[in-house]
Amino acid sequence: MKFSRFLFSTLSGLVISQLAWANTYIENRLNKPVPGGVAVVNLDAYSQGGVLPTVRYQGNRVLVVKSDQNILAIVGIPLKTSAGAQTLVVSSQGKESQVSFNVGSKKYKEQHIKLSSNKHVNPSAEDEARFKRELNEQLAAYKNFREVKPSNIVLDRPVDGGHYSSPFGLRRFFNGQERNPHSGLDIAVPQGTPVKAAADGIVTIVADYFFNGKTVFVDHGQGMVTMYCHLSAIDVKKGQAVKRGELLGKVGSTGRSTGPHLHWNVSLNNVRVDPAIFVGAFQP
């Protein structure tokens, strides 16, 4: 009887282990289906003749990749999404289908920041108009969808060393006034630290913005876009093709910033998601 229980326990463990390994590398690394997270949805049933399906979520095109012979949609989930079922629209061979996936829950913390000047808390009318122009430029870059596939979906960390000083999704209060939740990941590193491209791509924005300071956008293809801001120096030009690991600029404290750090954004299907997911640093 004891041997039977031992054998059953061992076999159960093997089955569970095999099921865990049945997921692809990308699923194991990136599938964090929470608000502000990423859902990796299997679409094997919707690929015929090697042609990948076209996928939309909330009206935006979705990144679709082939991994370990599986067809996967890599879906960015908006931060304000409620827990429960969400729906993808999948088009394949002239047919349109709806595919559901579930979103869990996640609670994000608060952060209170004291700025020495109210300039970046209550902007003047002139600065407000500037910000709106800059925001529209950034939103257009995030929304762009190039058919080319990203060189890598699990991204490289854009700076060496340092620590994560402000995580994604924080409810932020500047001088006591609440503003939009933190849309990226802050990495505290010394002034002048090299900032590198997380994957191959095309530089779509090189600018000095009111809030973001010196900023670079890199479009990696199929709606995957990364932003690097508060830089002290920029070493690329708009329209330039960059390789994974190539120098983009150097860390600084420009724009609305209290000290040297890199603010890093990752966007999928025009949705800003937690960059920590892509570098193995996600905290549930």
Side-chain angles (χ1 to χ4, degrees):
M1 180 66 74
K2 288 183 179 180
F3 176 76
S4 298
R5 285 199 298 267
F6 171 77
L7 181 61
F8 175 78
S9 175
T10 301
L11 290 173
S12 297
L14 286 172
V15 169
I16 293 171
S17 176
Q18 287 173 348
L19 287 173
W21 279 104
N23 289 336
T24 67
Y25 173 74
I26 289 178
E27 288 175 296
N28 287 328
R29 288 295 299 268
L30 301 187
N31 190 43
K32 313 294 179 187
V34 297
V38 175
V40 179
V41 183
N42 188 292
L43 298 176
D44 288 349
Y46 303 91
S47 177
Q48 297 180 7
V51 179
L52 301 185
T54 297
V55 180
R56 291 187 180 273
Y57 175 53
Q58 298 184 352
N60 293 306
R61 285 283 300 276
V62 170
L63 169 61
V64 178
V65 298
K66 187 173 183 179
S67 172
D68 298 335
Q69 305 305 311
N70 296 122
I71 308 303
L72 306 173
I74 315 297
V75 188
I77 305 169
L79 189 58
K80 293 183 179 180
T81 303
S82 299
Q86 294 288 307
T87 303
L88 301 178
V89 177
V90 180
S91 300
S92 177
Q93 303 295 315
K95 297 180 181 179
E96 195 170 272
S97 306
Q98 292 191 338
V99 177
S100 296
F101 66 94
N102 287 315
V103 175
S105 59
K106 178 175 170 64
K107 186 175 181 180
Y108 291 94
K109 298 178 181 179
E110 295 183 1
Q111 181 184 45
H112 293 261
I113 300 171
K114 181 66 177 177
L115 298 175
S116 58
S117 169
N118 273 328
K119 176 182 178 181
H120 289 97
V121 179
N122 297 305
S124 66
E126 181 180 357
D127 287 336
E128 184 70 25
R130 173 189 170 187
F131 163 67
K132 288 180 180 178
R133 290 194 304 270
E134 295 172 349
L135 178 61
N136 288 334
E137 184 176 66
Q138 293 171 73
L139 292 177
Y142 281 129
K143 192 173 183 179
N144 187 50
F145 189 95
R146 296 190 304 126
E147 292 294 341
V148 63
K149 294 178 177 58
S151 63
N152 48 295
I153 307 298
V154 177
L155 300 175
D156 288 352
R157 202 169 181 269
V159 291
D160 295 328
H163 65 278
Y164 301 119
S165 54
S166 292
F168 173 89
L170 281 175
R171 289 182 59 201
R172 297 185 302 171
F173 297 79
F174 291 93
N175 293 356
Q177 298 185 43
E178 185 170 12
R179 292 296 183 262
N180 290 331
H182 197 220
S183 61
L185 176 66
D186 286 354
I187 308 175
V189 286
Q191 180 93 2
T193 299
V195 177
K196 299 167 288 186
D200 294 0
I202 302 294
V203 176
T204 54
I205 288 179
V206 171
D208 191 350
Y209 287 139
F210 180 72
F211 284 117
N212 295 350
K214 292 183 191 252
T215 299
V216 172
F217 272 57
V218 179
D219 185 324
H220 305 288
Q222 288 211 26
M224 174 178 267
V225 178
T226 54
M227 178 184 77
Y228 313 76
C229 66
H230 303 307
L231 305 178
S232 62
I234 295 174
D235 293 280
V236 290
K237 296 180 179 179
K238 184 176 179 179
Q240 179 178 336
V242 293
K243 289 294 185 182
R244 175 182 185 178
E246 187 170 341
L247 180 68
L248 301 176
K250 296 178 177 64
V251 167
S253 185
T254 54
R256 184 168 68 183
S257 171
T258 57
H261 71 283
L262 175 67
H263 174 97
W264 183 39
N265 272 25
V266 176
S267 185
L268 291 172
N269 48 270
N270 197 25
V271 171
R272 264 52 78 201
V273 294
D274 188 353
I277 294 170
F278 298 85
V279 292
F282 176 75
Q283 296 293 322

